């Protein structure tokens, strides 16, 4: 698979930042990227104040993310044939590289995964220019959260529109078919903490750090299987049947997932 960083027009533009960056993982031509270098897990300009987890861990408690190796290849030729686009929204003030494990997995299954980088991300690069935003001084109020959610939703819609447009910045051909009224659903994975849906579940290996980081009590390998299998099944159902099923009743999930509650 490959990874590219692109910019698109914002759905909720501001005067000083009318465009948004997006990280895109995509399926590559089989065997074509074997000799290509792997992408940097944290590229230049993408770490800064308040980035979590910190790029250098304190001793044995945290992983030094500078030593993490990604699987995606730089400038990998995209696979032929249109691929469905999956648009992901990161958590508040969350760096995009924290979702590498999940996004590489989905891309390896034939998806183009576009992850929006909102202006609340502490360190980011937009159109080649490094931008930094300080962390919020206090927990956002309910009204502020609502405003941020609406802005992010507009940016995600604009990102999808850009990827399925005639002059798409997507790295490779994408499937432009869209569901007119896609269903919505909320799923809870029992035992998963707040940060269990990104790479921190793999970083915080020491029990004290794991508890403090809120990754829950599901082992990292199990959480990865549960999350990627559930998402892949959900995407398949939406693409082929236009519906969402209860993951616990799906017949094509590993037993490890069906028995997770």
């Amino acid at each position: 698979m490959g990874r590219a960083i692109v910019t698109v027009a914002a759905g909720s533009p501001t005067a000083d930042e009318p465009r948004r960056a997006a990280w895109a993982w995509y399926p590559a031509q089989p065997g074509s990227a074997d000799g290509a270098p792997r992408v940097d897990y944290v590229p230049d300009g993408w770490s800064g104040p308040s980035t979590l987890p910190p790029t250098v861990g304190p001793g044995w408690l945290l992983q030094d993310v500078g030593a993490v190796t990604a699987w995606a290849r730089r400038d990998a030729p995209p696979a032929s044939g249109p691929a469905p686009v999956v648009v992901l929204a990161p958590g508040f003030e969350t760096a995009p590289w924290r979702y590498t494990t999940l996004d590489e997995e989905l891309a390896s299954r034939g998806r183009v995964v576009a992850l929006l980088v909102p202006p609340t991300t502490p360190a980011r690069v937009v159109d080649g220019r490094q931008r930094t935003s300080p962390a919020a001084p206090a927990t956002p109020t309910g009204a502020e959260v609502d405003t941020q959610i609406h802005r992010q939703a507009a940016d995600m819609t604009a990102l999808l529109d850009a990827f399925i447009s005639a002059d798409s910045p997507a790295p490779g051909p994408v499937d432009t078919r869209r569901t007119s009224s896609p269903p919505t659903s909320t799923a809870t994975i029992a035992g998963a903490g707040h940060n269990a849906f990104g790479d921190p579940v793999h970083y915080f290996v020491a029990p004290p750090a794991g508890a403090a980081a809120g990754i829950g009590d599901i082992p990292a390998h199990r959480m990865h299987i549960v999350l990627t299998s559930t998402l892949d099944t959900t995407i398949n159902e939406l693409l082929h049947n236009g519906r969402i099923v209860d993951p616990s009743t799906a017949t094509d999930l590993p037993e490890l997932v069906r028995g997770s509650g």
Side-chain angles (χ1 to χ4, degrees):
M1 74 210 74
R3 190 196 73 194
I5 300 176
V6 301
T7 52
V8 299
S12 60
T14 58
D16 63 331
E17 200 165 334
R19 290 165 63 81
R20 298 286 181 262
W23 286 35
W25 288 262
Y26 58 95
Q29 294 180 17
S32 64
D34 291 347
R38 296 187 181 186
V39 297
D40 293 329
Y41 183 67
V42 182
D44 291 341
W46 288 92
S47 90
S50 303
T51 299
L52 293 175
T55 49
V56 178
W60 58 274
L61 288 176
L62 299 179
Q63 169 71 49
D64 176 1
V65 296
V68 175
T69 300
W71 286 102
R73 305 288 177 159
R74 187 179 300 118
D75 300 323
S80 60
V85 179
V86 178
V87 178
L88 295 184
F92 181 65
E93 295 186 349
T94 302
W97 39 266
R98 289 180 61 178
Y99 299 95
T100 295
T101 302
L102 171 62
D103 295 337
E104 287 187 338
E105 177 75 23
L106 291 177
S108 73
R109 302 186 185 203
R111 325 291 186 197
V112 172
V113 184
L115 189 143
L116 174 72
V117 182
T120 54
T121 299
R124 60 199 182 280
V125 178
V126 183
D127 284 325
R129 178 185 175 190
Q130 185 170 7
R131 309 295 296 261
T132 58
S133 299
T139 302
T141 64
E144 290 170 337
V145 170
D146 286 344
T147 298
Q148 290 170 355
I149 290 175
H150 282 92
R151 288 176 176 172
Q152 184 156 310
D155 286 340
M156 291 177 65
T157 300
L159 173 57
L160 177 59
D161 289 340
F163 266 53
I164 63 174
S165 66
D167 56 347
S168 171
V174 299
D175 189 343
T176 58
R177 294 172 298 174
R178 294 177 62 178
T179 304
S180 57
S181 299
T184 61
S185 179
T186 300
T188 300
I189 299 178
H194 180 73
N195 289 321
F197 301 93
D199 289 359
V201 71
H202 302 281
Y203 297 148
F204 297 101
V205 294
I215 62 172
D217 55 12
I218 301 178
H221 74 283
R222 180 185 176 98
M223 184 64 198
H224 179 70
I225 293 174
V226 169
L227 183 58
T228 55
S229 298
T230 300
L231 281 176
D232 193 58
T233 296
T234 301
I235 293 169
N236 280 333
E237 285 292 332
L238 284 171
L239 289 174
H240 301 299
N241 301 315
R243 63 188 178 96
I244 294 178
V245 298
D246 181 352
S248 64
T249 63
T251 58
D252 58 342
L253 290 176
E255 184 62 33
L256 180 64
V257 178
R258 293 200 300 274
S260 63

